[in-house]
Amino acid sequence: MGIASRTVAAEMIISGKVRIGNKIIRDPEYSVEFPIQNLFIYNQKATNAKKVYYMMHKPKGIVTTRSDEKGRKTVYDLLHSEFSWIFPVGRLDKESSGLLLLTNDTAWADKIVSPVSKLPKTYHVKVNRSIKEEEIFKISKGLKLSDKLSYLPINIEKIRENKKSCWLELTLEEGKNRQIRKSFEHLGCRVENLVRIRIGKLELGELKPGEFRPISPDEVGIASS
């Protein structure tokens, strides 16, 4: 219903803050038919939350979790307190920056991250040395790092380089955990900067680190198409 995360919802249920009609429900696994009739939270009748969609330029050094056991700053520290519950669509690791989508629409988010959708994601990547054409070819045709870990082919274009570094544009469809970083580690070089600039047809544009904006209805429609 877009009201709360699963974790927060479970906590509310267990603590007796949720009832259906006159019956307090304390089991998060309690089975109901949807739409739920006469659902009350904190004695207030619950209704579907308005669907909201945002894009953020996640800065480097920020994590995408709701809270962090190490006390690190999260994307929620950058949002206004009046925001309704929203969650990140996929993730960017702490050392990466760029386009991050946030919403309370779980169906829309599932379309964005689903492997079936094969939604392309584009990154600008800086590595700590120049890159040879045969190395670009090696990554672009797909990598097999072990019997359990392999990557599909990706599109790579060199943007600029010098003797000490190289900027590349990478577009991939699967986006496994730390895929880009592990691919370049396999070549014996280190990723110094990684910025996601596009998800499907949604572009980071002129958003500066830490800034966010609503995604327009038209953009919502084309994002997962």
Side-chain angles (χ1 to χ4, degrees):
M1 296 175 70
I3 296 173
S5 69
R6 292 182 183 182
T7 300
V8 172
E11 291 171 353
M12 290 191 296
I13 293 168
I14 292 170
S15 62
K17 307 302 182 184
V18 177
R19 62 183 170 90
I20 297 177
N22 293 320
K23 182 180 180 180
I24 294 176
I25 308 298
R26 293 182 181 272
D27 178 10
E29 301 299 322
Y30 183 84
S31 181
V32 296
E33 291 185 3
F34 198 81
I36 307 171
Q37 303 297 320
N38 297 315
L39 174 66
F40 292 84
I41 302 174
Y42 292 99
N43 290 321
Q44 300 292 321
K45 190 165 186 178
T47 57
N48 288 333
K50 179 184 177 182
K51 298 290 191 297
V52 294
Y53 311 87
Y54 289 89
M55 65 167 61
M56 170 188 284
H57 186 157
K58 186 193 90 66
K60 191 174 181 178
I62 302 292
V63 296
T64 58
T65 54
R66 166 67 71 173
S67 59
D68 184 68
E69 69 280 359
K70 297 180 181 178
R72 295 173 296 185
K73 197 171 184 179
T74 79
V75 293
Y76 292 96
D77 293 317
L78 304 176
L79 298 172
H80 298 159
S81 59
E82 66 268 20
F83 269 92
S84 58
W85 171 69
I86 55 178
F87 61 90
V89 181
R91 297 203 175 188
L92 280 173
D93 66 45
K94 176 175 173 286
E95 297 306 314
S96 300
S97 62
L99 181 58
L100 181 69
L101 308 181
L102 302 110
T103 186
N104 60 356
D105 186 342
T106 55
W108 184 76
D110 287 344
K111 288 181 181 179
I112 298 293
V113 300
S114 171
V116 177
S117 68
K118 295 184 178 180
L119 203 64
K121 300 173 181 65
T122 302
Y123 301 80
H124 282 174
V125 180
K126 179 187 178 184
V127 296
N128 67 333
R129 64 170 173 81
S130 61
I131 298 294
K132 299 176 182 178
E133 291 301 321
E134 54 263 35
E135 292 178 309
I136 290 178
F137 178 74
K138 186 175 183 178
I139 294 181
S140 66
K141 69 183 180 64
L143 285 175
K144 183 176 182 180
L145 301 186
S146 69
D147 290 338
K148 295 183 179 180
L149 181 59
S150 61
Y151 299 136
L152 294 175
I154 62 178
N155 184 66
I156 305 178
E157 294 183 11
K158 190 180 292 186
I159 300 173
R160 63 183 182 274
E161 70 175 335
N162 54 44
K163 294 181 180 179
K164 295 184 178 180
S165 66
C166 180
W167 277 97
L168 306 110
E169 181 172 294
L170 285 73
T171 300
L172 57 154
E173 293 180 348
E174 55 179 351
K176 292 180 179 177
N177 183 40
R178 298 180 68 82
Q179 176 177 346
I180 294 174
R181 295 182 186 277
K182 289 179 180 179
S183 294
F184 284 104
E185 286 173 5
H186 183 70
L187 298 181
C189 56
R190 183 180 71 256
V191 171
E192 294 184 336
N193 211 335
L194 192 157
V195 186
R196 184 159 64 197
I197 64 166
R198 189 180 304 112
I199 299 175
K201 296 179 181 178
L202 294 178
E203 296 191 6
L204 182 62
E206 299 299 320
L207 278 183
K208 297 177 181 178
E211 290 183 343
F212 56 90
R213 71 165 178 83
I215 299 173
S216 71
D218 287 344
E219 290 175 316
V220 170
I222 68 171
S224 57
S225 62

